[in-house]
Amino acid sequence: MLGTTFLLAIRSIARHKLRSILTALGIIIGVAAVVSMVTLGKATTAAVQQSIASLGTNILQVRPGQGFGRGGGGPRPPDFKPEDVTAIANQVAGVTAVAAQAQATATVIYEGANWSTTINGTTNGYFDVQPWPLTAGRAFTPIEEAAGKSACIIGNTVSKNLYRGGQAVGTRMRIGAISCDVIGVLSTRGQSGFGGDQDDVVIMPIKAVQRRFTGNRDIRLILVGVDKAFASSTVQASIEDLLRERRNITTGKEDDFFVFDTKQINDTLTGATTALTSIVTAVAGISLIVGGIGIMNIMLVSVTERTREIGIRLAIGAVANEVLLQFLVEAIALSMLGGVIGLLLAQGVILALVPVLKVTYLFDLQINLIAFAISALIGVVFGYFPARRAASLNPIDALRHE
Amino acid sequence: MASNARLATGHAALAGDTIIALRGVTKSYGEGATAFLALKGIDLDITQGDFVAVMGASGSGKSTTMNILGCLDVPSAGTFQFKGVHVETLDRDQRALLRRKYLGFVFQGFNLLARTSALENVELPLLYRGDAKKARHDTAMAALDKVGLADWWDHTPAELSGGQQQRVAIARAIVTSPAVLLADEPTGNLDSERSVEIMELLSGLNRDSGITVIMVTHEPDMAAFARTIVHFKDGLVERVEAHNSPSRLREGSQ
C-alpha cells in the first residue's frame, strides 16, 4: 500500500509542478540557510583555529608589563635577563623548551633589492617550542649561537622580496650596517591570528641581535613550550611564582610581567565563532519552521481545492488511512524535495561565499543529513493536520463540493 | 460474466437472486425541531442483473437512497442488505472496502481527476485494490477498450469531449468488474445523441457482463432503457414499474 501511496503522491506533485515548488520554497530556503550557515561557521572556526595553531599550541608567552598595550604610567617594567630564561628552563616542571627573543627592526639589502623587516634574535630552542620546518639550509650551530655569529634564517616573505625566487642559502646579505650569511629559509606560515605576516622575519642568534642592534642583554619575550602531560595553567603558575621571586615582587604587589597562554586565545576565539554560528543557525532554523508552516498552509489549501478528488477516491473505495497517507506522503515528499534542493542551494551558497570569507571549503556530511532529516520530519509534522482533514471528509459532501 | 458467476455462489441469505434489499429505511438530517426526514421508510428489492432507473422530483429522496445504496451513507433506521451483508452495521472503512470490491460509480459531472490521463483515471480503483503495474495497465486498457476509447488512453479529461469523459468514467467504474454500477444522472450533462450512446453502453454492459445497473435520471427517454423503473415521491417509493422489453425503440412512445 505504501508503494502505491508513494506513486500517487509523486504523480500529484508532478502534476502541479509550480505549486509544488512554491510549497517547498520555505523548506528550500530554510535548509539552504541552516546548512550554509553551519558549514560556513565551521569553516570560519577551522580557519581561526588554524591561524592560532600557527602561533603554536601549548606555548606560553612571557612578557614584561601587564598585558598587551596596557603599560599605564610610571616606569617601564624591566625586560628579562638571560638568567631568567635559564631559570625557567631548569627550575619549572613540564617545560619542554624555552626560547628567549630580542627584536629589532631593520632594512635588509641584497643586490639592490631592499626590504624592511623584523629581526628576531633567538636560539634553536625557538624551533623546539613551535615546530617551524626549514625549506632550505639549516638551523644555527651551537658555535654560532654561543658566539652570536652573524648567521640568518629568513622567512618566506623576506626570501620572496629579496631573492625573487633565486637561491638565498649561501649568500650574504646586508642588515642595516652589518652583513649576514643566509643559512636557511623557513617554510610558509601565513598570517597570525592577529593579522600579522609571520613570514616577514629574519631570525638571528639572540646574542648577535643584542650586540649589533639592541645594544643590551635584555629579552622582551620568552616562549615556553609546555609538555602535553602537564596542564598549561600549572606551568603558567610555576613560571609566575619563579619570576615574582626573581624580580623581587613582594606579596600583595602586582606582577610587572605576564604569562600568556596561546590556548586561551584559541578557546576564546573558537568560543566566539561557535556562539555566533549557533545564533545564526537558530535564526535559520526558525526559517525552517516557517517553511513547515508554509507547507501546512498550501496542503490545507490543496485539500480544500481537491475536495472533489478526495470524494472520488473515497467513492472508489479508498479507506480513510489511504487518503491520510496520500496527503501525508505528499507533504513529506514535497518537504524532502525541498530538502534536496535546499542542500544543493546550500552548496552553491557555500562555494560562492568561501572565497569572500577567505575560508577553506568543507563538506559537512552530518549537517547535511540532519537538515534533510529535519525537512522530512517537517513534512510529517505539518502534513499530518491537513492529511487528517482530508481523510475525515464525508464522501458525499466531498463529491458535491464545487 | 465472471462477476455473475462469482455472485451466484454463497449468498443464500436472500430469496432468489436479490442483491439489494432495503427494509423500512429512513433517513433524517439535523436534529430536534429542524430535523428533516428525507426518507420515510423505504422497502426495495433489486435483483441481480437488473437495470433499474430511479426517477422522481427533486427532494423526493432518490439521491439519499442512491447514497445509501452506494454505501456512502447509512440509514437512520431500517436495514440495508447488500449481498446478504447488513451494511448499516459496517463502519466507514468497511463500507469503503465494500465499495472498492462490489460497486462502481458514474456521476453526472464525470468526476475524473483533472490533468490525469484516461488510463491513469481508469487505473485508480486498481491502485487501491493493490494490483501490480502490469495487471493494472492491462485491466485498465481492457476497460477503455470496452467503452471504445483504447486509442485515447493518454488524453487528459480536458482533451476529451463530455461523452468521451463519461465513457472514461464508465471504464473506471467497471474496471474492477463490480456487481453493481450506480449511475447518478449519467447523461445529465450530455446532448441527446451522446446520451443515447452512453445509455447503449450501459445497456450493453448490463446485458453482456451481467452488471446490475442502478441509474438516477430525470429523463423518461433514458429511463426507457431500464427494465425496472422505481418512482420516488416525498421520501417514499411511489411505485415500481417493470418494462418487459426495454430498448431504444420505446423512446418514441414516451
PDB file of all heavy atoms in Angstrom, chain A residues 104-109 115-119 174-177 202 213:
ATOM      1  N   ALA A 104      64.340  43.551  16.805  1.00  0.00           N
ATOM      2  CA  ALA A 104      64.736  44.845  16.266  1.00  0.00           C
ATOM      3  C   ALA A 104      64.121  44.968  14.888  1.00  0.00           C
ATOM      4  O   ALA A 104      63.665  43.980  14.325  1.00  0.00           O
ATOM      5  CB  ALA A 104      66.256  44.931  16.172  1.00  0.00           C
ATOM      6  N   THR A 105      64.068  46.175  14.379  1.00  0.00           N
ATOM      7  CA  THR A 105      63.580  46.368  13.025  1.00  0.00           C
ATOM      8  C   THR A 105      64.739  46.896  12.192  1.00  0.00           C
ATOM      9  O   THR A 105      65.497  47.743  12.666  1.00  0.00           O
ATOM     10  CB  THR A 105      62.426  47.382  13.002  1.00  0.00           C
ATOM     11  OG1 THR A 105      61.446  46.953  13.934  1.00  0.00           O
ATOM     12  CG2 THR A 105      61.800  47.458  11.622  1.00  0.00           C
ATOM     13  N   ALA A 106      64.880  46.359  10.991  1.00  0.00           N
ATOM     14  CA  ALA A 106      65.992  46.813  10.150  1.00  0.00           C
ATOM     15  C   ALA A 106      65.643  46.605   8.689  1.00  0.00           C
ATOM     16  O   ALA A 106      64.706  45.879   8.365  1.00  0.00           O
ATOM     17  CB  ALA A 106      67.259  46.044  10.494  1.00  0.00           C
ATOM     18  N   THR A 107      66.393  47.246   7.823  1.00  0.00           N
ATOM     19  CA  THR A 107      66.209  47.046   6.399  1.00  0.00           C
ATOM     20  C   THR A 107      67.259  46.053   5.918  1.00  0.00           C
ATOM     21  O   THR A 107      68.438  46.189   6.241  1.00  0.00           O
ATOM     22  CB  THR A 107      66.357  48.369   5.632  1.00  0.00           C
ATOM     23  OG1 THR A 107      65.421  49.298   6.173  1.00  0.00           O
ATOM     24  CG2 THR A 107      66.108  48.177   4.146  1.00  0.00           C
ATOM     25  N   VAL A 108      66.819  45.047   5.198  1.00  0.00           N
ATOM     26  CA  VAL A 108      67.761  44.066   4.654  1.00  0.00           C
ATOM     27  C   VAL A 108      67.955  44.359   3.174  1.00  0.00           C
ATOM     28  O   VAL A 108      67.016  44.745   2.473  1.00  0.00           O
ATOM     29  CB  VAL A 108      67.273  42.617   4.877  1.00  0.00           C
ATOM     30  CG1 VAL A 108      67.341  42.252   6.339  1.00  0.00           C
ATOM     31  CG2 VAL A 108      65.855  42.429   4.352  1.00  0.00           C
ATOM     32  N   ILE A 109      69.182  44.189   2.724  1.00  0.00           N
ATOM     33  CA  ILE A 109      69.512  44.547   1.340  1.00  0.00           C
ATOM     34  C   ILE A 109      70.266  43.398   0.693  1.00  0.00           C
ATOM     35  O   ILE A 109      71.143  42.777   1.308  1.00  0.00           O
ATOM     36  CB  ILE A 109      70.403  45.812   1.286  1.00  0.00           C
ATOM     37  CG1 ILE A 109      69.703  46.991   2.010  1.00  0.00           C
ATOM     38  CG2 ILE A 109      70.740  46.200  -0.160  1.00  0.00           C
ATOM     39  CD1 ILE A 109      70.641  48.108   2.369  1.00  0.00           C
ATOM     40  N   TRP A 115      64.373  45.523   1.776  1.00  0.00           N
ATOM     41  CA  TRP A 115      63.115  45.145   2.410  1.00  0.00           C
ATOM     42  C   TRP A 115      63.209  45.423   3.890  1.00  0.00           C
ATOM     43  O   TRP A 115      64.166  45.011   4.545  1.00  0.00           O
ATOM     44  CB  TRP A 115      62.880  43.645   2.150  1.00  0.00           C
ATOM     45  CG  TRP A 115      61.561  43.148   2.660  1.00  0.00           C
ATOM     46  CD1 TRP A 115      61.371  42.361   3.744  1.00  0.00           C
ATOM     47  CD2 TRP A 115      60.283  43.417   2.110  1.00  0.00           C
ATOM     48  NE1 TRP A 115      60.049  42.125   3.915  1.00  0.00           N
ATOM     49  CE2 TRP A 115      59.349  42.757   2.917  1.00  0.00           C
ATOM     50  CE3 TRP A 115      59.840  44.172   1.016  1.00  0.00           C
ATOM     51  CZ2 TRP A 115      57.989  42.819   2.675  1.00  0.00           C
ATOM     52  CZ3 TRP A 115      58.488  44.229   0.764  1.00  0.00           C
ATOM     53  CH2 TRP A 115      57.575  43.554   1.588  1.00  0.00           C
ATOM     54  N   SER A 116      62.208  46.140   4.411  1.00  0.00           N
ATOM     55  CA  SER A 116      62.205  46.427   5.841  1.00  0.00           C
ATOM     56  C   SER A 116      61.482  45.306   6.580  1.00  0.00           C
ATOM     57  O   SER A 116      60.360  44.955   6.234  1.00  0.00           O
ATOM     58  CB  SER A 116      61.497  47.760   6.086  1.00  0.00           C
ATOM     59  OG  SER A 116      61.513  48.050   7.458  1.00  0.00           O
ATOM     60  N   THR A 117      62.133  44.764   7.600  1.00  0.00           N
ATOM     61  CA  THR A 117      61.538  43.606   8.263  1.00  0.00           C
ATOM     62  C   THR A 117      61.922  43.558   9.740  1.00  0.00           C
ATOM     63  O   THR A 117      62.644  44.420  10.251  1.00  0.00           O
ATOM     64  CB  THR A 117      61.975  42.314   7.537  1.00  0.00           C
ATOM     65  OG1 THR A 117      61.276  41.220   8.098  1.00  0.00           O
ATOM     66  CG2 THR A 117      63.470  42.078   7.683  1.00  0.00           C
ATOM     67  N   THR A 118      61.384  42.559  10.408  1.00  0.00           N
ATOM     68  CA  THR A 118      61.667  42.363  11.833  1.00  0.00           C
ATOM     69  C   THR A 118      62.853  41.434  11.972  1.00  0.00           C
ATOM     70  O   THR A 118      62.914  40.390  11.316  1.00  0.00           O
ATOM     71  CB  THR A 118      60.448  41.719  12.506  1.00  0.00           C
ATOM     72  OG1 THR A 118      59.311  42.543  12.281  1.00  0.00           O
ATOM     73  CG2 THR A 118      60.663  41.557  13.997  1.00  0.00           C
ATOM     74  N   ILE A 119      63.811  41.824  12.806  1.00  0.00           N
ATOM     75  CA  ILE A 119      64.934  40.945  13.097  1.00  0.00           C
ATOM     76  C   ILE A 119      64.635  40.291  14.435  1.00  0.00           C
ATOM     77  O   ILE A 119      64.420  40.968  15.440  1.00  0.00           O
ATOM     78  CB  ILE A 119      66.270  41.725  13.193  1.00  0.00           C
ATOM     79  CG1 ILE A 119      66.419  42.683  11.998  1.00  0.00           C
ATOM     80  CG2 ILE A 119      67.434  40.746  13.292  1.00  0.00           C
ATOM     81  CD1 ILE A 119      66.405  42.001  10.651  1.00  0.00           C
ATOM     82  N   ARG A 174      72.901  42.209   3.483  1.00  0.00           N
ATOM     83  CA  ARG A 174      73.168  43.256   4.472  1.00  0.00           C
ATOM     84  C   ARG A 174      71.944  43.451   5.345  1.00  0.00           C
ATOM     85  O   ARG A 174      70.808  43.468   4.871  1.00  0.00           O
ATOM     86  CB  ARG A 174      73.498  44.580   3.776  1.00  0.00           C
ATOM     87  CG  ARG A 174      74.850  44.614   3.089  1.00  0.00           C
ATOM     88  CD  ARG A 174      75.262  46.045   2.757  1.00  0.00           C
ATOM     89  NE  ARG A 174      75.571  46.844   3.942  1.00  0.00           N
ATOM     90  CZ  ARG A 174      76.719  46.730   4.628  1.00  0.00           C
ATOM     91  NH1 ARG A 174      77.632  45.869   4.236  1.00  0.00           N
ATOM     92  NH2 ARG A 174      76.951  47.484   5.674  1.00  0.00           N
ATOM     93  N   ILE A 175      72.190  43.611   6.642  1.00  0.00           N
ATOM     94  CA  ILE A 175      71.109  44.001   7.552  1.00  0.00           C
ATOM     95  C   ILE A 175      71.580  45.276   8.217  1.00  0.00           C
ATOM     96  O   ILE A 175      72.497  45.252   9.034  1.00  0.00           O
ATOM     97  CB  ILE A 175      70.841  42.939   8.622  1.00  0.00           C
ATOM     98  CG1 ILE A 175      70.614  41.558   7.995  1.00  0.00           C
ATOM     99  CG2 ILE A 175      69.629  43.345   9.458  1.00  0.00           C
ATOM    100  CD1 ILE A 175      70.362  40.462   8.990  1.00  0.00           C
ATOM    101  N   GLY A 176      70.961  46.358   7.838  1.00  0.00           N
ATOM    102  CA  GLY A 176      71.393  47.637   8.370  1.00  0.00           C
ATOM    103  C   GLY A 176      72.873  47.825   8.087  1.00  0.00           C
ATOM    104  O   GLY A 176      73.286  47.836   6.923  1.00  0.00           O
ATOM    105  N   ALA A 177      73.631  47.930   9.164  1.00  0.00           N
ATOM    106  CA  ALA A 177      75.046  48.221   8.994  1.00  0.00           C
ATOM    107  C   ALA A 177      75.908  46.977   8.901  1.00  0.00           C
ATOM    108  O   ALA A 177      77.087  47.057   8.612  1.00  0.00           O
ATOM    109  CB  ALA A 177      75.529  49.100  10.165  1.00  0.00           C
ATOM    110  N   VAL A 202      63.439  37.901   9.889  1.00  0.00           N
ATOM    111  CA  VAL A 202      64.787  37.342   9.770  1.00  0.00           C
ATOM    112  C   VAL A 202      65.184  36.870  11.164  1.00  0.00           C
ATOM    113  O   VAL A 202      65.045  37.621  12.131  1.00  0.00           O
ATOM    114  CB  VAL A 202      65.800  38.405   9.273  1.00  0.00           C
ATOM    115  CG1 VAL A 202      67.231  37.860   9.350  1.00  0.00           C
ATOM    116  CG2 VAL A 202      65.464  38.828   7.846  1.00  0.00           C
ATOM    117  N   PHE A 213      72.223  45.158  17.478  1.00  0.00           N
ATOM    118  CA  PHE A 213      71.043  46.017  17.294  1.00  0.00           C
ATOM    119  C   PHE A 213      70.541  46.640  18.589  1.00  0.00           C
ATOM    120  O   PHE A 213      70.396  47.844  18.689  1.00  0.00           O
ATOM    121  CB  PHE A 213      69.908  45.232  16.621  1.00  0.00           C
ATOM    122  CG  PHE A 213      70.234  44.814  15.227  1.00  0.00           C
ATOM    123  CD1 PHE A 213      70.716  43.542  14.954  1.00  0.00           C
ATOM    124  CD2 PHE A 213      70.082  45.715  14.173  1.00  0.00           C
ATOM    125  CE1 PHE A 213      71.030  43.167  13.664  1.00  0.00           C
ATOM    126  CE2 PHE A 213      70.401  45.339  12.882  1.00  0.00           C
ATOM    127  CZ  PHE A 213      70.882  44.058  12.627  1.00  0.00           C
TER     128      PHE A 213
END
